[in-house]
Amino acid sequence: MSNKNNLLLFFDRPTEPCFMQKGDDKAVFELPEHYYPDKYKKVSSTLGNRFGNEAGRTIPVRNIALPNLDLPMQLPYNEQFSLFVPRHRTIAGKLIDIFMGMRDVDDLMSVCSYCQMRLNPYLFNYCLSVAILHRPDTKGLSVPTFAESFPDKFMDPKVFRKAREVATTVSDGSRMPITIPSNYTASSQEPEQRVAYFREDIGLNLHHWHWHLVYPFDAADRAIVNKDRRGELFYYMHQQIIARYNAERLCNNLGRVTRYNDFRKPISEGYFPKLDSQVASRAWPPRFAETKIRDIDRPVDVIKIDVSQLETWRDRFLEAIENGSIVLPNNRTVPLDEATGIDVLGNLMESSIVSANRGYYGDLHNMGHVFIAYSHDPDHRHLEQFGVMGDSATAMRDPVFYRWHSYVDDIFVQYKRKLTPYAADRLDFSGIRVSAISVEGSAGANTFSTQWEQSTVDLGRGLDFTPRGSVLARFTHLQHNEYQYVIEVTNSTGSSTMGMFRIFMAPTQDENGSPLSFEEQRQLMIELDKFQQGLSPGNNKIRRRSLDSSVTIPYERTFRNQSDRPGDPGSNEAAEFDFCGCGWPHHLLIPKGTQQGYPVVLFVMVSNWNEDMIEQDLVGSCNDAASYCGIRDRRYPDRKAMGYPFDRRGRDGVNSLTDFLTPNMAVRDCSIRFTDATRQRGQR
Ligand code: CUO
């Protein structure tokens, strides 16, 4: 059996053929003669010798009967690839099945070596990533950060020119980092630019890409798609994106994002991405301000759909919410119940293959992406490919992403509003009283502090056809100073018990400076942490570090460098480092705030862990960013509705957060102070 690690070499320099040297140890795949594409066939023995002689090691590739690759081959090599385009989803589903179906790692490696030189690199990378995450025999292998394989999706193309220059002229080891410009997509005349640091954050876009990788829409093996509470997590993770984005907007004197709810009206926001696709050798198309979505007829992409179709699907969602039930393909109706209704709706909306009735409820969310992504060339007359909204790795850069998703979110909110509010006794945890929560950090009591920080990524792996070695690039992102929560809890139950702690933060004022009502504020609540903790009888003082948040993954994992990973692949140590490129980037845990100090309220609730816990074995699973990502191959680790206790309207009489509180909850007014200075990562 060959080393499964070799599979990771297929992520290295994605458009360079795999008979060339790959990885740090200059590995070369030794291919069966007929695997060489025609253009290389004549010279294959020369090529084999040439790259083989200088190789650090060779990897023999097994000659197998190749599966039928006709369908995956239909996506042209130099085309963009989108999970939102139905045709691409079908193609990807097929390729995932092929990769999942290979008997063992050797066969998988063999088919990969054949595919790598022929199939669209984005498609290949995506499907191989999904397969590696889901095959039992590749567990513990970690897929390289997408930003390393395809840095062109994350940064200004000027960087690549400089990077090539550096790689060609300076030998590895003495190369100075190059700087990735920030704030380069628009001037300050464009108000939306004030939150570009958030939209265009590399870690943020990586999180979103990784989330959709962990939760693919399509595969013949339903188990890959049909994960525990998947539809609900689709709703919740994207709801939290909107809540967090709104907090950033409010900190920057922008109003909360408005829903894109009238498909006939122009979209006022324009977006000029200033990204190039190295694979497609094209600039990503812009969208001018005031663009309208139009009926799409693009035979090349096998998409023909009218705007009215979106409206029809939308009306069916509203009808389902109104009736409290959905219609199945056999015309039976099923009620949307308290426990699973949101999950069912989430799956219909997303819409993956686990949608209960795709025929009727259609493909609302994905096609929203598609209509917007093709709004500049809906009939392909200009031979343009889709805009950034078409790709989960780039969509969050565009202001319209948030308008679309806040529209989608509002449909879920309308459903959730119909649920019976939680009664006070249902929220309470009798015998447990939270007397206080506070924050301790470098900026003083109850103050969060933020500033800019510069970090580095290695572009070497993604720079095809350049000299080997690492090329470091430096980029600037938001960062907060680490802090801790101090929570005081009195346990008068007379015995030790286990509490589930939920910590949220929200703005306190609307865009005009007026206090937010409970109904508005609950929708702006951002989850900061959720953890369990034993409570002894009497008084307990609990300290919890910001670094341990259940929402985020550590900085190192967002931008992980494979050579830094600990332990042998497959070991527990490595697995912990692994699953999990999915997770909110830790450097965006806290909104930016303002220089004067932006007022927020911090909320904590302690509930009965015995009622919330899920009994399951978590050994070897990556579970430290479960709130937005779930746990690989496991159930979602909390029985309560995602977003609890803020996922519903308040009970009668609750007009403010203070009205909402039961004795097991506490709040604290805090502020977020931003310092307009930049530090290097590693300095404090
Ligand atoms: Cu994540 Cu619309 O689902 O982008």
Side-chain angles (χ1 to χ4, degrees):
M1 257 285 272
S2 81
N3 190 341
K4 61 186 175 183
N5 272 312
N6 291 334
L7 288 169
L8 298 181
L9 297 171
F10 290 112
F11 294 98
D12 202 54
R13 299 175 166 249
T15 65
E16 277 185 18
C18 62
F19 55 74
M20 292 176 72
Q21 293 164 10
K22 298 280 174 185
D24 296 339
D25 56 354
K26 301 186 181 164
V28 167
F29 289 98
E30 254 176 18
L31 306 174
E33 190 63 28
H34 65 283
Y35 278 31
Y36 285 88
D38 286 339
K39 60 179 170 183
Y40 301 122
K41 248 184 198 145
K42 266 202 191 123
V43 289
S44 66
S45 61
T46 336
L47 287 173
N49 285 337
R50 180 167 155 221
F51 295 107
N53 285 342
E54 298 159 11
R57 70 190 165 100
T58 52
I59 306 162
V61 172
R62 189 190 276 170
N63 190 355
I64 59 168
L66 290 160
N68 181 345
L69 292 160
D70 290 353
L71 188 61
M73 295 278 200
Q74 284 178 17
L75 182 66
Y77 187 89
N78 291 316
E79 192 121 335
Q80 292 284 23
F81 163 69
S82 169
L83 288 175
F84 301 121
V85 172
R87 170 93 184 139
H88 295 192
R89 259 184 275 154
T90 311
I91 291 176
K94 175 73 189 165
L95 189 59
I96 290 170
D97 290 342
I98 292 174
F99 289 164
M100 290 300 293
M102 300 317 285
R103 275 183 314 163
D104 54 28
V105 168
D106 277 310
D107 281 12
L108 177 60
M109 198 171 79
S110 177
V111 77
C112 283
S113 70
Y114 186 85
C115 291
Q116 190 267 344
M117 297 180 285
R118 292 172 171 83
L119 297 188
N120 178 285
Y122 299 129
L123 169 73
F124 174 77
N125 180 299
Y126 171 74
C127 297
L128 181 56
S129 302
V130 172
I132 286 177
L133 284 173
H134 294 92
R135 279 179 69 103
D137 57 1
T138 49
K139 286 270 160 70
L141 268 191
S142 125
V143 175
T145 289
F146 198 52
E148 287 186 3
S149 301
F150 295 110
D152 53 325
K153 294 206 182 201
F154 299 88
M155 55 196 79
D156 184 343
K158 285 187 197 128
V159 169
F160 303 110
R161 220 198 115 80
K162 277 192 212 144
R164 291 225 163 76
E165 199 179 300
V166 168
T168 314
T169 53
V170 185
S171 66
D172 190 16
S174 44
R175 293 174 188 162
M176 296 286 287
I178 48 182
T179 301
I180 302 173
S182 42
N183 247 333
Y184 62 92
T185 49
S187 74
S188 54
Q189 272 186 63
E190 169 56 61
E192 294 295 325
Q193 191 61 11
R194 291 182 221 154
V195 284
Y197 67 88
F198 180 86
R199 286 187 278 108
E200 292 167 1
D201 185 87
I202 298 177
L204 180 76
N205 283 284
L206 278 174
H207 160 69
H208 188 239
W209 172 77
H210 214 110
W211 193 93
H212 284 286
L213 184 68
V214 178
Y215 293 94
F217 302 110
D218 212 327
D221 179 0
R222 274 178 79 86
I224 293 182
V225 181
N226 198 11
K227 298 198 165 99
D228 183 42
R229 292 170 74 182
R230 177 214 167 102
E232 184 178 7
L233 194 55
F234 169 76
Y235 140 74
Y236 183 58
M237 197 284 286
H238 290 85
Q239 185 273 330
Q240 285 287 291
I241 286 177
I242 298 303
R244 287 174 169 276
Y245 182 62
N246 276 329
E248 301 291 348
R249 293 182 70 86
L250 289 169
C251 293
N252 285 283
N253 261 322
L254 294 167
R256 278 168 279 180
V257 60
T258 54
R259 291 172 299 142
Y260 175 55
N261 59 347
D262 184 343
F263 309 145
R264 306 289 171 170
K265 271 215 189 117
I267 299 169
S268 47
E269 296 83 355
Y271 187 65
F272 291 70
K274 299 181 183 56
L275 292 178
D276 282 353
S277 164
Q278 311 274 316
V279 170
S281 305
R282 280 286 172 78
W284 285 80
R287 185 187 60 260
F288 291 85
E290 309 299 340
T291 301
K292 272 188 199 166
I293 61 169
R294 288 173 286 167
D295 298 345
I296 301 179
D297 185 4
R298 295 179 54 107
V300 276
D301 302 301
V302 201
I303 307 183
K304 185 167 172 26
I305 182 170
D306 290 355
V307 175
S308 60
Q309 181 70 65
L310 274 189
E311 293 162 336
T312 305
W313 289 334
R314 171 197 59 200
D315 294 344
R316 290 174 183 168
F317 272 91
L318 299 181
E319 168 197 272
I321 290 165
E322 188 58 36
N323 300 341
S325 62
I326 64 157
V327 184
L328 295 183
N330 61 12
N331 278 329
R332 262 193 330 123
T333 57
V334 195
L336 292 166
D337 65 41
E338 194 180 13
T340 60
I342 187 69
D343 193 46
V344 170
L345 268 186
N347 285 326
L348 289 179
M349 172 66 81
E350 192 182 358
S351 82
S352 67
I353 54 162
V354 295
S355 163
N357 190 352
R358 246 183 175 175
Y360 188 69
Y361 296 98
D363 206 1
L364 182 57
H365 158 260
N366 293 331
M367 291 319 270
H369 276 269
V370 168
F371 270 107
I372 297 169
Y374 284 129
S375 57
H376 58 287
D377 193 18
D379 55 9
H380 200 229
R381 75 175 64 194
H382 298 294
L383 308 176
E384 284 288 313
Q385 302 191 5
F386 54 75
V388 291
M389 263 297 267
D391 187 329
S392 63
T394 54
M396 290 185 77
R397 307 177 79 83
D398 188 332
V400 78
F401 172 90
Y402 305 87
R403 295 201 55 203
W404 176 241
H405 267 281
S406 85
Y407 172 72
V408 167
D409 188 52
D410 185 64
I411 293 180
F412 293 124
V413 169
Q414 289 190 44
Y415 164 69
K416 284 270 187 177
R417 266 202 198 111
K418 300 199 95 179
L419 299 180
T420 315
Y422 298 112
D425 58 347
R426 205 169 150 192
L427 292 167
D428 199 12
F429 184 3
S430 81
I432 301 296
R433 191 168 180 280
V434 181
S435 47
I437 178 168
S438 57
V439 172
E440 285 176 359
S442 58
N446 304 319
T447 306
F448 299 93
S449 52
T450 60
Q451 64 173 298
W452 302 120
E453 186 173 83
Q454 278 195 335
S455 300
T456 41
V457 274
D458 189 350
L459 303 179
R461 187 193 290 279
L463 293 175
D464 297 291
F465 303 106
T466 52
R468 271 36 198 174
S470 62
V471 178
L472 298 178
R474 195 168 275 163
F475 63 100
T476 306
H477 56 85
L478 187 64
Q479 183 62 287
H480 58 273
N481 287 343
E482 301 306 340
Y483 59 87
Q484 54 183 344
Y485 309 100
V486 182
I487 305 163
E488 290 169 46
V489 185
T490 311
N491 172 0
S492 53
T493 62
S495 56
S496 291
T497 184
M498 195 61 124
M500 180 77 122
F501 287 65
R502 299 162 196 273
I503 301 180
F504 289 85
M505 168 194 277
T508 58
Q509 298 171 353
D510 68 11
E511 25 295 86
N512 305 316
S514 314
L516 290 163
S517 67
F518 179 77
E519 182 58 15
E520 290 177 293
Q521 198 173 32
R522 74 174 181 91
Q523 293 178 54
L524 290 165
M525 282 285 175
I526 56 185
E527 185 176 333
L528 295 181
D529 203 354
K530 179 158 72 180
F531 58 95
Q532 67 230 38
Q533 173 76 45
L535 296 168
S536 329
N539 293 334
N540 295 262
K541 192 177 230 183
I542 287 123
R543 292 176 180 277
R544 170 84 173 177
R545 301 187 312 162
S546 53
L547 277 169
D548 296 327
S549 167
S550 65
V551 171
T552 61
I553 51 173
Y555 170 87
E556 289 72 17
R557 211 179 298 140
T558 295
F559 301 109
R560 74 202 134 168
N561 181 340
Q562 288 309 293
S563 43
D564 290 346
R565 62 205 290 287
D568 294 328
S571 69
N572 279 344
E573 216 184 345
E576 221 165 85
F577 183 80
D578 286 346
F579 163 57
C580 303
C582 189
W584 192 256
H586 190 71
H587 62 268
L588 293 181
L589 178 64
I590 300 295
K592 185 178 169 201
T594 59
Q595 297 192 15
Q596 309 78 35
Y598 180 75
V600 288
V601 63
L602 189 67
F603 167 93
V604 63
M605 169 181 193
V606 181
S607 50
N608 189 344
W609 185 70
N610 286 318
E611 289 170 8
D612 298 351
M613 70 159 173
I614 295 286
E615 262 175 290
Q616 58 186 345
D617 170 18
L618 292 179
V619 173
S621 62
C622 174
N623 60 0
D624 65 349
S627 290
Y628 296 172
C629 289
I631 306 180
R632 181 183 184 170
D633 304 333
R634 303 292 200 283
R635 294 178 60 199
Y636 192 78
D638 179 2
R639 255 185 251 181
K640 290 283 194 298
M642 297 180 197
Y644 177 84
F646 296 114
D647 64 305
R648 302 185 185 181
R649 274 178 304 122
R651 59 193 183 272
D652 279 349
V654 170
N655 299 314
S656 69
L657 185 57
T658 318
D659 298 336
F660 181 71
L661 303 181
T662 48
N664 57 328
M665 304 178 190
V667 291
R668 169 79 67 185
D669 285 320
C670 296
S671 69
I672 310 174
R673 186 159 298 144
F674 170 70
T675 308
D676 192 6
T678 310
R679 70 178 175 217
Q680 299 289 322
R681 177 146 188 94
Q683 293 171 358
R684 277 288 170 269

